[in-house]
Amino acid sequence: MKSIFVALSVLAYLLFAVVVEAAPDYYSILGINKRANEKEIKTAYRQLSKQYHPDKNSSPEAHDKFVEVGEAYEVLSNKEKRANYDKYGDPEGPQHHGGPGDFFNNMFGGHHGGQHGGQQRGDNSQLNLNLALSDFFQGKDMDFEVEMVNICTDCTGSGSSDGKKIKCKNCNGGGVVMIRRQLAPGFVQTFQSQCDQCQGKGSIVANPCKVCSGSGAKRGKRKYDVHIPAGFPRDGVQTMEGEGDAYPDIIPGDLHIVFKEDLSRSWGYRRVGNNLYRDEVLTAKEALGGGWERHIPYFDEIETEIKLSRNAQQMVRDGEIEVVQGKGMPFHNADGLDDDKHGDLFIQYKIVIPGGSKEAAGHVMRDEL
Ligand SMILES: [Zn+2]
Ligand SMILES: [Zn+2]
């Protein structure tokens, strides 16, 4: 029985190990070791992205490599993501919050704050906002309401309906109680402890506030308006200092607003850093004969589409990549000022024939050649 159990745990461990190993090794993708500093990461990324850039190397393998290198850099160049990746094998951390669909989803407590000048600091809170890729592209002003714990406005946090206090009976007003504990027969330890009836204050509220049931705090809506500039990074964070949940006698923590990309509203684009990627499907007839035109939706408020086309007889290979320069994401400026710098857009053509596979399409093309 015992050996079966051991065998099962070994199996479970192996399965787990396989799952962990299945995550991409961003360090080996960039050809660096785990202790690489920021500069080494940047240098490796620059070299590799140059090497695999579709302008220089148009093979589909190079395209995949180029995307992979971009993803590895996006994770390792971000302190928080890198730490999560090192610790949990996942840049997003040990747990995933929310999914696509709703504008904002769940909130949860962050890490515990330390003591601040003797006064306790509350937990940080995190709010995830889901935005479409077009919002990241154009920048966005957002007004929203979120439910947080607030100081009760009726009793201004005192928990009392009339300000009257009475002496705590449990500690007789001293705020502390003596506790006797028998550790062994004949050996009793006595120690002082804060009174839990009055939290050491010595007095209690005579008539509790009806709005907050005497706690001094109550959940309620808060309104915020935030702005993200054009090109704001996916999973970028804005910190609202002191806007965490508020309770009496604590310094509230911060509210972290995380801007997530709702991947169901990306119009077929994939964003890696400042570049955009997109697959475009052509029929075998279009690929071989040319003479086609496509208008793909684009995020710019004025230039709402991008034209792709080939003249008659202009052939497109399966997997061919077209670079549309300057049509990627705008570069994000920390100062929030928009300028005209953009990344590039990479279109990869996929050729399909009705009732056939991609291999078949390849054969047709080779026969025609
Ligand atoms: Zn007491
Ligand atoms: Zn109250």
Side-chain angles (χ1 to χ4, degrees):
M1 189 63 204
K2 198 179 175 188
S3 64
I4 291 170
F5 175 73
V6 169
L8 279 176
S9 11
V10 168
L11 184 65
Y13 174 76
L14 284 176
L15 282 172
F16 179 70
V18 168
V19 169
V20 168
E21 272 169 16
D25 183 348
Y26 293 133
Y27 291 98
S28 66
I29 288 169
L30 291 183
I32 52 175
N33 72 41
K34 289 207 167 183
R35 287 186 303 276
N37 61 31
E38 275 174 53
K39 210 181 150 198
E40 287 165 329
I41 293 170
K42 205 171 226 171
T43 309
Y45 167 69
R46 281 220 183 104
Q47 278 171 356
L48 290 169
S49 59
K50 230 182 247 172
Q51 186 183 332
Y52 295 118
H53 196 282
D55 274 354
K56 296 222 173 93
N57 191 336
S58 66
S59 73
E61 293 77 32
H63 170 264
D64 291 347
K65 260 312 213 208
F66 186 75
V67 173
E68 210 173 57
V69 163
E71 276 169 359
Y73 179 68
E74 203 186 349
V75 170
L76 297 184
S77 61
N78 178 306
K79 265 189 191 144
E80 199 184 329
K81 284 185 186 175
R82 185 181 178 183
N84 279 333
Y85 175 70
D86 287 345
K87 210 166 166 190
Y88 309 108
D90 182 347
E92 304 303 322
Q95 47 198 332
H96 292 278
H97 295 275
D102 42 347
F103 176 57
F104 59 78
N105 40 56
N106 48 358
M107 285 184 38
F108 46 92
H111 48 82
H112 289 261
Q115 298 282 112
H116 236 271
Q119 202 178 357
Q120 212 195 335
R121 191 178 179 277
D123 286 345
N124 294 332
S125 304
Q126 181 173 324
L127 171 69
N128 294 343
L129 295 186
N130 287 329
L131 302 183
L133 187 52
S134 59
D135 298 329
F136 285 96
F137 187 99
Q138 293 170 2
K140 194 176 168 76
D141 287 308
M142 281 154 282
D143 293 320
F144 59 91
E145 280 188 337
V146 58
E147 199 164 279
M148 300 286 289
V149 179
N150 301 309
I151 298 291
C152 174
T153 47
D154 270 60
C155 63
T156 59
S158 70
S160 162
S161 64
D162 52 12
K164 280 186 193 144
K165 285 180 178 175
I166 49 171
K167 190 160 85 177
C168 174
K169 284 193 186 107
N170 191 43
C171 60
N172 202 26
V176 288
V177 287
M178 301 305 286
I179 293 176
R180 282 164 61 84
R181 196 162 58 180
Q182 185 166 352
L183 297 173
F187 185 62
V188 175
Q189 191 190 31
T190 308
F191 58 95
Q192 244 186 20
S193 175
Q194 189 189 69
C195 171
D196 60 2
Q197 299 286 302
C198 62
Q199 278 80 44
K201 286 183 191 127
S203 62
I204 56 169
V205 164
N207 300 300
C209 167
K210 286 187 182 68
V211 175
C212 63
S213 316
S215 70
K218 195 177 178 353
R219 289 198 84 85
K221 290 207 163 107
R222 286 193 208 168
K223 273 187 180 172
Y224 291 104
D225 51 271
V226 294
H227 169 76
I228 58 158
F232 196 73
R234 177 174 55 226
D235 299 333
V237 180
Q238 282 190 13
T239 299
M240 317 281 272
E241 274 177 45
E243 293 293 323
D245 283 331
Y247 297 94
D249 305 321
I250 64 147
I251 299 169
D254 299 332
L255 174 62
H256 297 296
I257 302 178
V258 184
F259 297 87
K260 298 270 177 190
E261 184 184 334
D262 177 353
L263 296 170
S264 67
R265 291 188 289 157
S266 302
W267 299 356
Y269 290 93
R270 298 182 301 280
R271 176 189 188 182
V272 178
N274 291 315
N275 293 327
L276 289 173
Y277 295 85
R278 187 187 175 86
D279 291 338
E280 205 53 43
V281 173
L282 295 179
T283 63
K285 198 179 160 218
E286 288 170 320
L288 296 168
W292 54 267
E293 196 174 299
R294 287 270 203 292
H295 296 263
I296 56 171
Y298 189 54
F299 306 118
D300 192 274
E301 278 166 308
I302 298 157
E303 193 181 354
T304 56
E305 55 181 36
I306 285 177
K307 192 178 107 178
L308 303 169
S309 65
R310 288 294 183 278
N311 296 328
Q313 308 309 318
Q314 216 182 345
M315 223 184 80
V316 175
R317 281 176 293 111
D318 186 42
E320 189 174 315
I321 289 156
E322 179 175 348
V323 183
V324 190
Q325 273 174 357
K327 297 298 176 197
M329 296 296 287
F331 277 57
H332 163 61
N333 295 328
D335 57 14
L337 294 172
D338 297 347
D339 65 18
D340 285 341
K341 256 181 129 184
H342 282 66
D344 296 328
L345 166 62
F346 298 88
I347 306 282
Q348 182 165 36
Y349 291 104
K350 305 261 184 211
I351 294 153
V352 291
I353 53 166
S357 65
K358 247 163 66 180
E359 264 84 349
H363 281 299
V364 169
M365 286 171 68
R366 250 168 270 138
D367 290 347
E368 295 278 323
L369 282 167

